[in-house]
Amino acid sequence: MPNGSSIERRLQLSGILLVLALVVEAMSLAWVHPAAFLFFLVAGGVLMAAGILVYLYSLLPAGSSSN
Amino acid sequence: MIDPATILFTLIGLAIILIALLVIWPSITATRGGKILAFLALFILPVLCAAVGAAEHLERSKQTHFCLSCHIMEPYGKSLYVDDPTYLAAAHFQNHRVPPDQACYTCHTDYVLYGGFKAKLRGLRHVYVQYLGTLAKPIHLYSPYNNRECLHCHAGARSFEEGAVHNTDPQLLPAVKANKLSCLSGGCHEIAHNVAQVDHVKFWKRPE
């Protein structure tokens, strides 16, 4: 099993990525332009996907990948 | 009624606060309540914010201001203010025959099943061409303008159905309705934007 601190570190990393994604989303909404949509889609999308994946990865038990 | 953007910014703010709590005190996830909070803050709320954000961006993409924000669309924006009723786009825009804040979208969407979706896909293609492709000079529609888009509003309207010019030839209206004769044909409503002449015409000034 991963110890508590490694899970906590993953949760923190996930949280930081998701906060960045949400900040990108909020910034993109302040601007009505096709580039704002791209910014939302590319930068926001990548950060959000990464944040959610890190969170979901932190839920996996440690043994599941070694089997 | 609450503005969707306000709801979105509230959701984003709430998500950031909850995520910040988890980042500062990750040990709270050791409890059942903490795990539920983490699921809410790190999964449900971000997915919800992304979905509402995407919907808001798509809604904003209908705005006239959005379409005209690209440099290449500038003359088309100017053509909406031409002081000449034979300019089709200008006459529709200035007389509110289309909502002025969604003028481009109203005439250039497809009034069919999933037409709005197709219009948004075309919008993504415009964005791709604008930033990564080669812009056609002059720009043109991907396919000829379909009368269906005009008829969405005009079909059944008295001025359209009983208009003297529309009824000079009994074959004319059926041909128009079948999209066999374009509304934009020469001698009919042939001047839509006419951007080639847009620097040589008189403009209407919107009253303040």
Side-chain angles (χ1 to χ4, degrees):
Chain A
M1 284 287 287
N3 60 35
S5 66
S6 73
I7 292 175
E8 287 176 5
R9 273 202 304 276
R10 284 178 199 158
L11 288 178
Q12 283 177 319
L13 175 63
S14 163
I16 290 165
L17 288 169
L18 287 170
V19 166
L20 287 175
L22 291 168
V23 169
V24 163
E25 182 174 342
M27 283 167 62
S28 75
L29 286 163
W31 189 27
V32 182
H33 193 276
F37 179 65
L38 280 185
F39 185 52
F40 164 79
L41 204 67
V42 178
V46 167
L47 285 166
M48 189 157 290
I52 289 173
L53 285 175
V54 170
Y55 166 65
L56 293 176
Y57 181 65
S58 76
L59 298 179
L60 289 177
S64 63
S65 58
S66 59
N67 290 338
Chain B
M1 179 141 172
I2 305 171
D3 177 21
T6 310
I7 296 172
L8 180 57
F9 280 112
T10 308
L11 274 177
I12 291 173
L14 178 68
I16 288 176
I17 291 167
L18 292 180
I19 294 170
L21 281 176
L22 285 166
V23 170
I24 297 166
W25 295 293
S27 57
I28 59 172
T29 56
T31 63
R32 178 180 286 188
K35 285 183 175 68
I36 293 171
L37 179 71
F39 183 64
L40 189 71
L42 300 175
F43 188 78
I44 300 290
L45 277 176
V47 169
L48 193 62
C49 287
V52 179
E56 178 65 17
H57 268 291
L58 289 178
E59 195 57 34
R60 286 174 180 214
S61 70
K62 292 179 184 174
Q63 291 179 14
T64 308
H65 171 58
F66 178 91
C67 302
L68 302 181
S69 63
C70 284
H71 177 67
I72 198 159
M73 296 308 293
E74 213 173 84
Y76 292 87
K78 282 172 82 174
S79 77
L80 299 177
Y81 289 91
V82 172
D83 191 13
D84 181 343
T86 61
Y87 276 63
L88 202 60
H92 279 73
F93 174 78
Q94 292 167 24
N95 294 300
H96 291 203
R97 290 177 192 140
V98 292
D101 58 337
Q102 294 188 358
C104 311
Y105 179 81
T106 305
C107 291
H108 289 280
T109 189
D110 294 349
Y111 291 100
V112 290
L113 191 64
Y114 304 120
F117 179 69
K118 284 181 194 165
K120 286 176 177 90
L121 284 182
R122 271 203 307 274
L124 280 177
R125 186 171 165 190
H126 295 337
V127 172
Y128 170 79
V129 171
Q130 170 75 19
Y131 292 109
L132 300 167
T134 310
L135 292 165
K137 284 185 183 173
I139 60 169
H140 52 79
L141 297 174
Y142 297 128
S143 54
Y145 196 84
N146 196 310
N147 287 355
R148 173 190 62 218
E149 279 47 280
C150 308
L151 294 169
H152 177 74
C153 295
H154 292 286
R158 185 179 176 187
S159 57
F160 173 76
E161 303 285 352
E162 296 179 10
V165 179
H166 287 170
N167 287 286
T168 46
D169 176 357
Q171 299 302 314
L172 192 142
L173 272 183
V176 166
K177 288 179 179 175
N179 198 37
K180 287 179 181 159
L181 176 67
S182 173
C183 301
L184 304 168
S185 303
C188 300
H189 306 285
E190 62 195 308
I191 306 173
H193 290 281
N194 198 17
V195 291
Q197 294 297 315
V198 84
D199 289 328
H200 311 286
V201 290
K202 196 178 146 206
F203 287 99
W204 168 67
K205 265 198 167 180
R206 189 203 293 259
E208 293 302 323

